[in-house]
Amino acid sequence: MTRVAGIPAELQALAAILVGSAPELDVAAASLASAASLPPMPAGVAAQVESALDEARNLIVRASQTAAGEGEDLRRRGLWLEIADRLHRSWEAVAAPFGLVATSNDTLDLATEWRVSRLMKTWNAYEDAVGPAVAAEGPTSLAALDAKLGFQESNPMAPARFATVLEGAGDEGSYLESLGSLAGIGETVGKFTPIGGVFGGVVGFIYPKNRTGTYMYVDRAAAAGTTAGSIGLLLASTPALAAVPVVGEVALAVVVVAGAWELWENKDEIARIAVAGGKFVANHPYVLAGPPGIAVHEAWKYRKPIAHALVSAADTDKDLADDGAKTILSGAKSALEHVVPHVHVGGLSTP
Amino acid sequence: MRDLARALRQTAASVAACDSSVWPKATSLTFTGPAADRLQHALGDWHGDVVSAANLLGDAADLLLRAAAELDEERARLARLAHRP
């Protein structure tokens, strides 16, 4: 994006003034008397005045054209800049929680690993400095105390950190436990995961990685499962939401719409997966041959096995689903059981 | 000629008013990016054209007023000569 000026409103204001000046300049140019209507005047004066009026008129006409053209250009730039800014603001608002989920977990893991490695390194240095004296003359000897004080002097650190190093005594698990604050942050971040999963699932369903064939179906099935699972996780993690009937219905609708879409778009794949999972397709062959409306009707009617088929599909194609999708899909089963309580995941049940 | 001079001054004033409404606003903005130079030049040229036109009209009006004054003076001189005994 090219920022021609800083603030769209200022650009728009300048554009409005500039465009507004064009007709005024046109009036000024028109008002300049032509040579034919000039009053009688001395010959030398007439020539100078005519020349000046011609030149002034040309300048004003050119200024008018410039004002109209550049004013319109500025107006468009201001408009696009405003649109860009609004999109940017919208994206920032939407992207914030996803950024939190996508980056913070990794960042927290890295930060945790780094801090543990630092504690381990400090412990190793402590052992190198103090260990020989302890081994030779005992932990309470003057030599051990000297070595300890020398280590502290050459490795200045906060008393709490030093205590953590000593208490952990080189045990990685103890050091991990000592990083409770990071774990707390991780829990907080985790609360955003279902929200990100819902949005990411919907986006993944509409724009699957693969646009054709079986892979598209698998991508969409995984995305639908991600959405359903995330909604379920959200419901499970926020009991108050479960009290709102619409939420549960929306979660169900996501699965149903996904089922309808996939039934029609991927009849063969649905058949393969459903047949592999049970007798649903064999018992309802018209679903595969009917128009989308029937598919939707049947999808609603047989939403439970469809939901099951979606989860089965996602689980079946583990090699194709990425790690993130699989992680959330692992929660999709329990989520579907939560949203559609009568579905027994792992075996087909008819409505 | 004096009527024309007044008209030219009026036109010059309206042209100058356009410039005074646009130019301070244009110079208060900071233009950056690939289009910045072109925009700055365009607005600068526009300002130059408008100011030049206003100056030309003002100069022409002055010229007309001076010519009218000289003509009045010449007429007065001729009138004095005509009435001289």
Side-chain angles (χ1 to χ4, degrees), chain B:
Chain B
M1 282 196 288
R2 287 195 173 92
D3 287 344
L4 178 58
R6 274 195 295 274
L8 294 184
R9 284 202 185 283
Q10 199 170 2
T11 303
S14 66
V15 169
C18 287
D19 181 64
S20 62
S21 67
V22 171
W23 189 239
K25 185 74 178 173
T27 51
S28 70
L29 292 180
T30 302
F31 294 90
T32 59
D37 288 343
R38 187 190 62 75
L39 271 171
Q40 279 177 327
H41 281 123
L43 291 174
D45 290 346
W46 179 89
H47 172 67
D49 286 349
V50 172
V51 169
S52 297
N55 290 338
L56 278 170
L57 294 175
D59 292 345
D62 290 342
L63 179 64
L64 284 168
L65 290 176
R66 281 199 306 274
E70 289 173 3
L71 201 58
D72 285 344
E73 192 177 331
E74 183 65 16
R75 281 178 178 163
R77 189 178 67 81
L78 290 175
R80 283 196 299 274
L81 286 175
H83 287 90
R84 187 175 290 177

Side-chain angles (χ1 to χ4, degrees), chain A:
Chain A
M1 183 179 63
T2 300
R3 291 181 76 88
V4 176
I7 304 171
E10 290 189 4
L11 263 189
Q12 298 276 24
L14 175 60
I17 295 171
L18 205 52
V19 169
S21 72
E24 292 183 30
L25 293 171
D26 286 338
V27 170
S31 71
L32 293 179
S34 65
S37 62
L38 287 178
M41 61 185 82
V45 173
Q48 289 185 60
V49 170
E50 284 175 15
S51 172
L53 293 189
D54 279 345
E55 191 176 351
R57 189 164 46 245
N58 290 337
L59 288 172
I60 292 172
V61 167
R62 191 167 71 183
S64 172
Q65 292 169 346
T66 302
E70 296 301 330
E72 181 63 19
D73 182 67
L74 285 176
R75 191 188 68 79
R76 286 176 182 164
R77 289 177 188 278
L79 183 64
W80 282 111
L81 195 61
E82 185 178 354
I83 290 171
D85 280 357
R86 286 190 182 185
L87 286 174
H88 184 63
R89 282 199 298 272
S90 302
W91 171 245
E92 276 185 333
V94 171
F98 300 109
L100 208 60
V101 172
T103 62
S104 294
N105 286 330
D106 292 342
T107 305
L108 285 171
D109 288 341
L110 286 173
T112 304
E113 288 176 12
W114 182 79
R115 288 184 65 175
V116 168
S117 72
R118 296 286 296 175
L119 291 172
M120 295 287 286
K121 190 176 178 182
T122 305
W123 170 254
N124 290 335
Y126 176 81
E127 273 209 313
D128 290 341
V130 183
V134 171
E137 300 189 34
T140 57
S141 65
L142 187 59
L145 180 61
D146 282 342
K148 187 177 178 180
L149 291 174
F151 174 79
Q152 282 184 284
E153 190 175 344
S154 58
N155 296 276
M157 68 184 79
R161 179 182 169 85
F162 190 53
T164 301
V165 171
L166 295 184
E167 286 171 9
D171 179 43
E172 193 173 335
S174 299
Y175 290 149
L176 274 173
E177 283 183 10
S178 71
L179 302 177
S181 58
L182 288 182
I185 294 172
E187 286 179 8
T188 304
V189 171
K191 291 178 181 176
F192 288 97
T193 303
I195 300 172
V198 171
F199 186 81
V202 171
V203 171
F205 186 83
I206 297 172
Y207 302 107
K209 288 180 182 175
N210 298 283
R211 300 302 178 91
T212 57
T214 306
Y215 287 86
M216 181 185 73
Y217 168 73
V218 171
D219 288 343
R220 280 185 168 155
T226 298
T227 305
S230 300
I231 291 174
L233 290 173
L234 197 61
L235 289 172
S237 63
T238 315
L241 278 179
V244 183
V246 174
V247 175
E249 295 302 316
V250 167
L252 191 59
V254 169
V255 178
V256 169
V257 170
W261 185 314
E262 300 308 330
L263 274 174
W264 184 247
E265 294 290 327
N266 302 277
K267 297 182 281 293
D268 296 338
E269 287 79 10
I270 275 283
R272 178 178 60 79
I273 292 166
V275 168
K279 297 179 179 177
F280 170 69
V281 174
N283 292 336
H284 307 87
Y286 51 88
V287 170
L288 304 180
I294 291 179
V296 171
H297 172 75
E298 295 301 325
W300 174 255
K301 189 176 177 183
Y302 299 104
R303 55 194 177 279
K304 294 173 184 176
I306 288 169
H308 171 78
L310 286 169
V311 175
S312 297
D315 283 349
T316 302
D317 296 280
K318 288 176 181 174
D319 292 338
L320 300 175
D322 60 28
D323 292 339
K326 279 195 291 187
T327 300
I328 301 179
L329 277 170
S330 66
K333 285 185 177 180
S334 61
L336 285 170
E337 285 174 338
H338 177 79
V339 175
V340 191
H342 301 296
V343 171
H344 174 64
V345 177
L348 277 177
S349 64
T350 54

